[in-house]
Amino acid sequence: AQKVTQAQTEISVVEKEDVTLDCVYETRDTTYYLFWYKQPPSGELVFLIRRNSFDEQNEISGRYSWNFQKSTSSFNFTITASQVVDSAVYFCALSGAPTGANSKLTFGKGITLSVRP
Amino acid sequence: GAGVSQTPSNKVTEKGKYVELRCDPISGHTALYWYRQSLGQGPEFLIYFQGTGAADDSGLPNDRFFAVRPEGSVSTLKIQRTERGDSAVYLCASSRQGNQPQHFGDGTRLSIL
C-alpha cells in the first residue's frame, strides 16, 4: 500500500520569507513517481512537478525547488522569497507508474500555506 | 477550452436522489481518472479509465457509485440513492498515454441535503 504524509497542516509566513513544505512517502514499489500539486482558493489542482524514483537530482524552477531523498523517503518543496500569490493548499502525491493500472495518485492531506504581505 | 471540463460546477440535491457528474477530458487524453475530495483532505482515487474501459475501479466506495466512458472521451460518474456522506468535491483528471502527468478539472461540488 502507498502512503503520503504531510505532517505540517498550516504554515503562515510573511512575504519574501523562504518556506519548506515537507513530504514523506511509503511504497513497496521499486519504481514510483512523486508529484507536487498546488490548489489555490479557486479549487483547481495545478501540476507543479513530477520526479521518478531513479532520479534523485534536486530541481529548481524559478523560486521553486525540490529535494528528493530516497534514503529518508522524502520529497520536500521549498519556495524562495514567497509571494502572496503562493497562498494555496499544496499536495504531495505518489503513483506507481505514469500510466496504466498503477498510475492512480495517492495524495497527502495537504499543507495550507498563507503568505501575508 | 484546452483544459479538463467538469459540469455542473455545483450540485445540490436531496438525500436519496440520483446524480450524474460529467467530465470532458483534454482532447487526445486516453487516460481519465475520478477522485473525491472531502473538506480538509487530499483527493482520494475512485476509478480509472483507459480508453472506454474501467481499468481500475477499486476506489469506488460501494455499489451506489458507477462510472462510464462509452466513447473513450467524456465520462459520467453516477451516484444512486445519494447519502449525506457523499457530499464532497468530485474531481476529474486526464492524461495523455505515455509518461505525462494528470491534469485536473475544477471539480463538481456535490452537496446532499
Side-chain angles (χ1 to χ4, degrees):
Chain A
Q2 298 184 330
K3 184 178 180 182
V4 174
T5 302
Q6 296 181 262
Q8 303 153 310
T9 54
E10 294 185 18
I11 300 175
S12 181
V13 299
V14 176
E15 206 169 20
K16 297 184 184 176
E17 285 185 20
D18 298 347
V19 58
T20 295
L21 311 181
D22 298 334
C23 173
V24 174
Y25 62 92
E26 296 175 31
T27 181
R28 293 182 180 177
D29 294 334
T30 53
T31 300
Y32 53 89
Y33 293 78
L34 294 161
F35 302 78
W36 277 93
Y37 281 85
K38 174 182 179 180
Q39 189 173 45
S42 57
E44 181 180 356
L45 278 163
V46 178
F47 167 76
L48 296 177
I49 190 172
R50 181 188 68 201
R51 301 308 300 272
N52 71 55
S53 52
F54 297 109
D55 184 1
E56 287 193 70
Q57 269 192 324
N58 292 335
E59 181 154 342
I60 298 174
S61 176
R63 297 184 297 108
Y64 295 170
S65 62
W66 291 269
N67 180 253
F68 175 29
Q69 293 194 344
K70 286 180 77 170
S71 60
T72 56
S73 296
S74 66
F75 186 44
N76 297 336
F77 173 27
T78 297
I79 301 174
T80 302
S82 59
Q83 299 177 1
V84 172
V85 294
D86 296 328
S87 297
V89 181
Y90 290 86
F91 291 98
C92 182
L94 170 67
S95 78
T99 58
N102 210 17
S103 62
K104 62 189 176 189
L105 293 171
T106 299
F107 286 85
K109 290 189 175 182
I111 302 169
T112 300
L113 174 64
S114 299
V115 181
R116 308 187 306 276
Chain B
V4 177
S5 176
Q6 291 189 246
T7 55
S9 54
N10 284 281
K11 177 71 177 179
V12 181
T13 192
E14 294 179 342
K15 176 184 171 184
K17 298 293 188 183
Y18 168 82
V19 296
E20 289 190 353
L21 312 179
R22 175 188 167 106
C23 172
D24 199 342
I26 294 171
S27 178
H29 282 195
T30 57
L32 185 146
Y33 308 78
W34 284 98
Y35 295 83
R36 179 168 72 174
Q37 185 175 20
S38 300
L39 192 62
Q41 302 294 316
E44 294 180 326
F45 169 77
L46 295 176
I47 187 169
Y48 157 62
F49 287 89
Q50 183 54 52
T52 60
D56 183 356
D57 64 358
S58 61
L60 295 178
N62 51 60
D63 61 7
R64 295 187 298 105
F65 288 74
F66 188 71
V68 295
R69 194 185 185 198
E71 297 178 356
S73 179
V74 171
S75 176
T76 305
L77 179 65
K78 308 180 181 190
I79 310 174
Q80 298 178 321
R81 305 183 304 280
T82 52
E83 300 177 356
R84 292 198 178 90
D86 299 335
S87 296
V89 176
Y90 288 80
L91 295 165
C92 178
S94 70
S95 71
R96 190 181 299 279
Q97 182 72 294
N99 216 28
Q100 294 296 315
Q102 296 176 30
H103 295 274
F104 284 79
D106 288 343
T108 294
R109 183 174 300 277
L110 178 64
S111 300
I112 309 298
L113 303 179

